[in-house]
Amino acid sequence: MIPGIRGTRDILPAEVGRWRRVEGVARDLCARYGYAELRTPVIEREELFAKGTGESTDIVQKEMYAFTDKGGDRITLRPEATPSMVRSFVEHALEQELPCAKLYSLGPMFRYERPQKGRYRQFHQLDVEVFGITDPAVDAEVIEMASALVAELGIETAELVINSVGCDACRPRFSQALIDALGERVAELCGDCQRRSVTNPLRIFDCKVPADQPIIDQLPQSEDFLCDACRDHFAEVRRQLDAYGLSYRVSHRLVRGLDYYTRTTFEMLGTNLGAQNALLGGGRYDHLVKQLGGPDRPGIGFAAGLERLVLALPEGAGEIDVADAFVVALGDPSWSAARILARDLRRAGLTTLIDYEGRSSKSQMKRANRSRARHMLILGEDELASNQVTVKTMETGEQQTVTRADLVAHLRAVGTD
Ligand code: AMP
């Protein structure tokens, strides 16, 4: 046996119902909020993420599946969707084409992280992006949609956390204030934080090392350094979230691990997911489109981890499909008619199972039971002669004879969902 790769998972038939439920709600919600679907490749140029996600981020420094292809180009499996969405938006001038530049995508991402529950090397995201709108109403709408996603999935144990990380005008002052406040104590922090203090001091707030926390708790807070425009923007976002009736916590430590965020950042945390508890996260990125060679357009979006939504889904959500019917052939002469019956039912839109290898009727019936199909359709010599089928409803054990002509209508009437 050649095992699968560490950090990757097979989504087994028994789990697929839960995945479909998450994907179905996600697609439906995106459509209702006016998003168009965009599908981008899983491979991109490495520089897209070096420039987009940020050279100093853990993702780019440590986690990319990057390689040189046979033509000598530096390629990577995408570690996140936003830079790809921006690239495609710019490359195809999508803002000319779409009534509103709201785009979503669903698909696999790849990061070479240490696998654990809720953290994988291949994982899946719903990614949602809006381009070209500065109005805080869009921040609030995107956050409201993120919380609707979680609520519509029936996940009740989630907390919304928001923050503002300021803009190019005010953030440098905040970064400097952090460095000044740390002073000599920077040497007491972990290696990652020492690196962050040089490359992007804000990300010190991402640190989870317990020994660092007393120092980090003493640091200045972003809200005290916001410029007037950022302060007003953040106040308006909060006012609109209040108007939607959403409860949230403001955490000055929510800086997020990517370089491109400006102003609003947010996350939804699952409160019963253990260490990997972020269900989704996002924020505003007002310079990324331009930075990646596009027009000067702001952006905002979020990415939700489908594995974590599936984990957080209430039990019993996303039942597995069961077949409408299992056709049983009684004796050799019935097989051919049984196969034609199965074909006709399938063509009529009913999920229909049938056995192979000429097994005995007893063994076919056992399989019909195991398949949990709603009805067993028995076809023997008598039924063939009278052009009828014996229908056994598995749940009640009730049995009746139905003519071939009435069969589809009968099966539909007794409930096929
Ligand atoms: P990020 O792109 O890092 O902001 O992550 C957005 C969301 O994707 C997170 O909130 C998680 O739900 C999910 N996510 C990120 N990394 C992983 C991973 N390695 N495995 C599973 N889900 C992940």
Side-chain angles (χ1 to χ4, degrees):
M1 208 258 311
I2 301 168
I5 293 173
R6 186 167 133 82
T8 69
R9 296 170 70 236
D10 297 314
I11 299 166
L12 299 173
E15 296 168 88
V16 160
R18 292 169 70 81
W19 276 80
R20 285 222 200 114
R21 166 106 187 108
V22 169
E23 290 160 352
V25 167
R27 284 183 189 287
D28 185 63
L29 191 80
C30 288
R32 277 185 277 134
Y33 279 73
Y35 287 79
E37 185 179 0
L38 171 64
R39 302 184 185 195
T40 64
V42 295
I43 51 173
E44 295 275 6
R45 287 174 207 282
E46 185 178 23
E47 63 178 302
L48 179 66
F49 301 97
K51 261 199 193 153
T53 312
E55 202 75 73
S56 74
T57 58
D58 283 355
I59 292 181
V60 170
Q61 291 210 337
K62 304 184 195 160
E63 297 169 3
M64 290 228 288
Y65 279 90
F67 57 96
T68 306
D69 75 3
K70 290 189 166 50
D73 291 321
R74 287 297 292 169
I75 303 290
T76 184
L77 301 185
R78 61 181 181 191
E80 59 142 344
T82 304
S84 301
M85 300 288 270
V86 172
R87 176 197 57 68
S88 184
F89 172 76
V90 172
E91 198 169 337
H92 303 286
L94 288 179
E95 73 180 338
Q96 328 262 303
E97 206 165 294
L98 296 166
C100 184
K102 289 166 114 177
L103 297 163
Y104 83 93
S105 196
L106 277 166
M109 307 293 151
F110 305 85
R111 295 182 197 172
Y112 195 79
E113 293 193 87
R114 197 169 50 76
Q116 54 179 275
K117 186 180 171 206
R119 186 159 78 188
Y120 309 98
R121 289 181 176 170
Q122 173 172 336
F123 58 98
H124 300 76
Q125 287 185 338
L126 161 69
D127 189 69
V128 167
E129 313 288 354
V130 186
F131 299 111
I133 304 168
T134 313
D135 187 345
V138 79
D139 304 47
E141 189 190 83
V142 165
I143 294 172
E144 191 278 323
M145 171 169 153
S147 90
L149 171 70
V150 171
E152 286 190 21
L153 288 169
I155 300 170
E156 286 168 356
T157 45
E159 184 190 23
L160 172 62
V161 185
I162 64 168
N163 189 26
S164 173
V165 295
C167 66
D168 284 358
C170 53
R171 198 169 22 194
R173 273 194 303 136
F174 178 48
S175 293
Q176 191 54 51
L178 290 175
I179 293 167
D180 294 345
L182 276 172
E184 309 268 287
R185 299 200 73 184
V186 76
E188 297 169 42
L189 293 174
C190 69
D192 274 344
C193 280
Q194 294 190 22
R195 188 167 51 78
R196 289 169 181 144
S197 73
V198 180
T199 55
N200 187 347
L202 258 72
R203 283 231 303 284
I204 290 173
F205 288 112
D206 264 350
C207 177
K208 303 266 168 11
V209 176
D212 289 6
Q213 302 310 310
I215 301 176
I216 296 172
D217 286 341
Q218 305 281 314
L219 290 174
Q221 306 194 355
S222 55
E223 226 188 317
D224 299 328
F225 291 81
L226 295 180
C227 62
D228 289 346
C230 286
R231 189 183 304 280
D232 290 349
H233 188 95
F234 194 38
E236 185 56 20
V237 172
R238 282 181 302 187
R239 199 192 63 71
Q240 298 203 21
L241 293 179
D242 292 338
Y244 282 130
L246 287 178
S247 45
Y248 54 86
R249 174 164 64 85
V250 177
S251 166
H252 76 277
R253 289 194 59 159
L254 183 69
V255 292
R256 315 246 323 117
L258 314 173
D259 272 355
Y260 47 66
Y261 287 114
T262 51
R263 295 190 167 172
T264 314
T265 53
F266 62 95
E267 281 188 354
M268 286 203 74
L269 308 177
T271 43
N272 58 359
L273 284 181
Q276 300 304 313
N277 66 346
L279 291 168
L280 59 87
R284 183 168 269 287
Y285 48 85
D286 285 345
H287 309 298
L288 183 62
V289 179
K290 186 160 182 225
Q291 209 173 304
L292 291 176
D296 193 2
R297 297 285 183 275
I300 179 165
F302 70 85
L306 301 193
E307 279 76 3
R308 295 191 194 168
L309 293 176
V310 168
L311 269 172
L313 212 56
E315 227 161 286
E319 291 286 311
I320 279 263
D321 295 343
V322 296
D324 299 310
F326 194 113
V327 180
V328 170
L330 290 190
D332 284 345
S334 309
W335 274 109
S336 170
R339 293 207 185 285
I340 289 165
L341 174 64
R343 180 203 62 185
D344 291 348
L345 294 179
R346 288 164 176 167
R347 288 194 174 177
L350 297 168
T351 306
T352 308
L353 305 176
I354 186 165
D355 205 4
Y356 307 93
E357 318 274 17
R359 290 196 181 86
S360 70
S361 46
K362 195 170 152 206
S363 143
Q364 291 174 62
M365 285 178 190
K366 250 196 211 154
R367 280 161 195 265
N369 272 321
R370 237 185 16 208
S371 79
R372 311 215 312 264
R374 291 190 182 87
H375 304 280
M376 186 150 77
L377 308 184
I378 302 162
L379 212 57
E381 276 176 47
D382 294 348
E383 285 89 355
L384 276 184
S386 58
N387 213 15
Q388 290 180 319
V389 178
T390 300
V391 178
K392 180 175 175 186
T393 302
M394 303 304 268
E395 203 183 331
T396 57
E398 233 172 87
Q399 207 159 301
Q400 56 186 307
T401 315
V402 180
T403 63
R404 267 300 287 268
D406 294 338
L407 185 60
V408 171
H410 175 83
L411 293 177
R412 288 231 170 91
V414 288
T416 52
D417 305 329

